[in-house]
Amino acid sequence: MNGGRSRLRSTRNRTDGGAAHGPDSRVVGALLDVDGLVKSFGGLRAVDGVTLRVEPGERVSIVGPNGAGKTTTLLMILGAIEADEGTVHIAGHPLPAQRHQAMRSVGFAAGYLPLPDRLKVTEALRFFADLSEVDDPGEAVDTVINELDIEHLRGKLCMHLSSGQRTLVGIAKATLHRPRLLVLDEPTASLDPDIAFRVRDRLAQINDQHHTALLLTSHDMREVETLTERVVFLRAGQVIADGAPAAIAAAGGHDSLEALFLAEASRHRATQL
């Protein structure tokens, strides 16, 4: 990949399941429609014109080195922070004007999100089900516990959960209301390989069984290649590539997405010296 503001050619086309798109096009029926997002903090432009679409049931990763704008982009998509410029629509609902309606279609999970430590797992999930206005909270809790195979955690206090257990309970919490879009920020960070495999397996099942779209960030390129079918690559707050993992790697002159990511991370570190 070249320096400066160079951009890899988009690898998306009509043969890979998505319509080609650019900053001025709109995809009819997109579950998530993000157009021209900009966010600055002081004199730093953290996100600089990000545009992306996610279709129902699609699996998409947002990747890039530290400081590329991944988490800031996710926070704007979730309506946790407001964009300086650009628009976000979820299931047709604009943010921030219709955030409450939009969030009914969204679940969010991240390892750093807290759980109510003094509640048992079932009590915590029941609490979140009530907050999400689930029609039958008890049934919803039983269903996600069964789907994620965490029956053994029912009576355990959240404060006594391991990192992997907290991650699984966090995903259960995020899927109680059967969201159409599941947003995940580093879902397997710091987990042992066997637990990370289990988390990815459960996420794939959720996608397959319920046609839930997945949008995640990750520094684990093997996870990205395994779990998602499309990658949005960020550099300095801009989308520099959008397409299938192997195609993006090849367009950048590398034989794997991991090699491309390492090259970008090295380039980013060099610019910070």
Side-chain angles (χ1 to χ4, degrees):
M1 296 174 71
N2 298 324
R5 293 296 189 182
S6 62
R7 182 181 298 266
L8 289 177
R9 180 175 57 82
S10 174
T11 57
R12 293 195 72 198
N13 54 51
R14 294 187 184 277
T15 64
D16 67 11
H21 66 273
D24 297 323
S25 65
R26 313 295 280 187
V27 178
V28 176
L31 176 57
L32 172 66
D33 186 348
V34 174
D35 191 36
L37 287 189
V38 172
K39 185 66 181 181
S40 298
F41 299 100
L44 173 66
R45 181 164 285 202
V47 175
D48 189 10
V50 167
T51 291
L52 69 93
R53 317 279 186 260
V54 177
E55 303 295 331
E58 195 174 14
R59 302 182 187 182
V60 181
S61 293
I62 300 177
V63 305
N66 288 333
K70 304 182 299 296
T71 297
T72 301
T73 297
L74 284 192
L75 290 175
M76 286 190 284
I77 288 171
L78 293 167
I81 59 175
E82 189 170 345
D84 298 333
E85 300 176 27
T87 60
V88 177
H89 289 77
I90 299 174
H93 298 290
L95 299 183
Q98 296 180 17
R99 184 174 186 267
H100 180 71
Q101 297 95 317
M103 289 304 106
R104 290 176 179 169
S105 297
V106 179
F108 178 52
Y112 53 78
L113 292 179
L115 294 170
D117 282 346
R118 297 191 178 276
L119 293 183
K120 296 177 181 179
V121 167
T122 48
E123 294 170 338
L125 291 177
R126 177 61 185 256
F127 170 73
F128 289 118
D130 287 335
L131 283 182
S132 299
E133 302 176 346
V134 173
D135 289 339
D136 190 337
E139 181 180 356
V141 169
D142 289 343
T143 297
V144 296
I145 284 177
N146 179 66
E147 286 181 346
L148 291 166
D149 194 21
I150 53 174
E151 182 71 32
H152 59 295
L153 300 180
R154 275 184 175 272
K156 197 167 185 176
L157 288 173
C158 290
M159 65 188 299
H160 293 152
L161 297 175
S162 68
S163 295
Q165 291 169 342
R166 292 180 75 89
T167 297
L168 287 168
V169 172
I171 294 171
K173 165 182 171 283
T175 55
L176 281 164
H177 60 300
R178 287 287 174 251
R180 297 175 61 193
L181 173 67
L182 183 56
V183 179
L184 306 124
D185 193 3
E186 298 283 354
T188 63
S190 303
L191 298 185
D192 291 338
D194 58 329
I195 301 298
F197 176 84
R198 182 179 169 193
V199 169
R200 289 192 290 267
D201 183 63
R202 296 298 182 266
L203 290 172
Q205 287 183 14
I206 290 168
N207 171 262
D208 291 339
Q209 293 174 4
H210 304 292
H211 202 55
T212 303
L214 305 180
L215 178 65
L216 70 142
T217 68
S218 178
H219 283 92
D220 185 340
M221 295 302 102
R222 286 170 292 182
E223 174 173 85
V224 168
E225 290 173 326
T226 299
L227 189 56
T228 60
E229 61 200 359
R230 181 177 145 223
V231 173
V232 178
F233 209 116
L234 299 186
R235 178 203 291 164
Q238 295 187 331
V239 177
I240 61 169
D242 182 347
I248 283 182
H254 295 273
D255 59 4
S256 71
L257 191 64
E258 184 172 32
L260 174 61
F261 179 84
L262 291 173
E264 276 293 299
S266 177
R267 176 188 176 279
H268 174 72
R269 284 194 299 271
T271 64
Q272 303 305 305
L273 296 178

